[in-house]
């Protein structure tokens, strides 16, 4: 399996030879140096740690700089581990977009856009109440617990609250094109998160 870290640049479209329009998301992926290898006997699990986002040393702490220098890597902003992946990688190796080819199916994980505090209609797709006959229950959730039994609100009842800003994984995404000269991955469709957000790209087994 192959994994890489990327930054969401934005969405665009391409015109195919038959005239159809294809909507794609542009990802600036890698290069990602390997900064740690986790071993099952020593660490209890197998994983590979990748670094992404070159930055200045003053933006990192001394422990972070020491860890990167020990791995022979320069200052990077993000460190992410990929479990059960990275077979064949060694310390000092660098993962680039060349590890992917057009037509590959991948799963992309990122942090979704935060929507703030939202009601049940927007957050859980509840139906609204009637707007006529004197009703004041337009977008309220309605009854959430009976009086006789259970005489309380049961746990797990869907209600208003914080929406978004959570980890989301989009599976079955197809790689449309790989532009290795600019470290770009073009994938079909939308990708979780806002522009400039960090995403994890892994092959979808």
């Amino acid at each position: 399996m192959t994994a890489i870290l990327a930054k969401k640049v934005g969405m665009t479209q391409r015109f195919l030879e038959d005239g159809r329009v294809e909507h794609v998301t542009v990802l600036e992926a890698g290069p990602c140096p390997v900064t740690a290898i986790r071993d099952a006997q020593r660490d209890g699990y197998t994983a590979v740690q990748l670094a992404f986002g070159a930055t200045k040393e003053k933006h990192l702490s001394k422990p972070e700089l020491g860890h990167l220098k020990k791995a022979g890597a320069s200052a990077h902003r993000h460190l992410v581990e990929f479990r059960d992946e990275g077979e064949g990688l060694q310390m000092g190796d660098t993962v680039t977009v060349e590890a992917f080819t057009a037509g590959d199916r991948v799963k992309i994980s990122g942090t979704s856009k935060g929507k703030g505090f939202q009601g049940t209609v927007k957050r859980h797709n509840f139906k609204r109440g009637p707007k006529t006959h004197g009703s004041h229950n337009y977008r309220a959730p309605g009854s959430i617990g009976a009086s006789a039994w259970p005489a309380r609100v049961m746990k797990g009842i869907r209600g208003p609250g914080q929406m978004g800003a959570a980890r989301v994984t989009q599976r079955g995404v197809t790689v449309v094109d790989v532009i290795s000269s600019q470290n770009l991955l073009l994938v079909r469709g939308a990708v979780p998160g806002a522009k400039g957000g960090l995403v994890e790209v892994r092959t979808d087994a």
Side-chain angles (χ1 to χ4, degrees), residues 128-140:
R128 61 168 179 80
K131 284 190 174 182
T132 58
H133 300 287
S135 171
H136 298 285
N137 182 21
Y138 291 167
R139 299 174 67 89

Side-chain angles (χ1 to χ4, degrees), residues 150-195:
R152 61 188 174 91
V153 178
M154 301 291 284
K155 288 185 177 179
I157 294 295
R158 294 176 297 170
Q162 167 66 35
M163 181 180 178
R167 180 179 174 86
V168 177
T169 299
Q170 185 75 29
R171 304 198 62 169
V173 182
T174 303
V175 176
V176 174
D177 195 5
V178 178
I179 308 176
S180 57
S181 60
Q182 301 179 39
N183 297 319
L184 295 180
L185 272 179
L186 272 62
V187 297
R188 182 177 294 118
V191 168
K195 293 180 181 179

Side-chain angles (χ1 to χ4, degrees), residues 95-118:
V95 180
T96 64
V97 292
E98 296 179 354
F100 298 88
T101 57
D104 288 349
R105 292 179 65 84
V106 297
K107 53 184 178 182
I108 301 178
S109 302
T111 302
S112 62
K113 292 181 180 180
K115 305 295 184 180
F117 190 96
Q118 298 296 334

Side-chain angles (χ1 to χ4, degrees), residues 22 25 31 38 56-57 59 62 69 74 88 112 164 169 181 185 192 194:
E22 187 174 47
T25 300
R38 305 304 182 194
K56 297 180 180 179
E57 292 188 359
H59 294 154
K62 287 185 178 181
K69 288 182 179 180
S74 58
S112 62
T169 299
S181 60
L185 272 179

Side-chain angles (χ1 to χ4, degrees), residues 1 11 27 29 36-37 45 52 82 98 102 108 142 185 198:
M1 298 180 71
M11 292 195 70
L27 303 176
I37 299 291
Y45 65 100
F52 177 72
F82 295 90
E98 296 179 354
I108 301 178
L185 272 179
L198 179 71

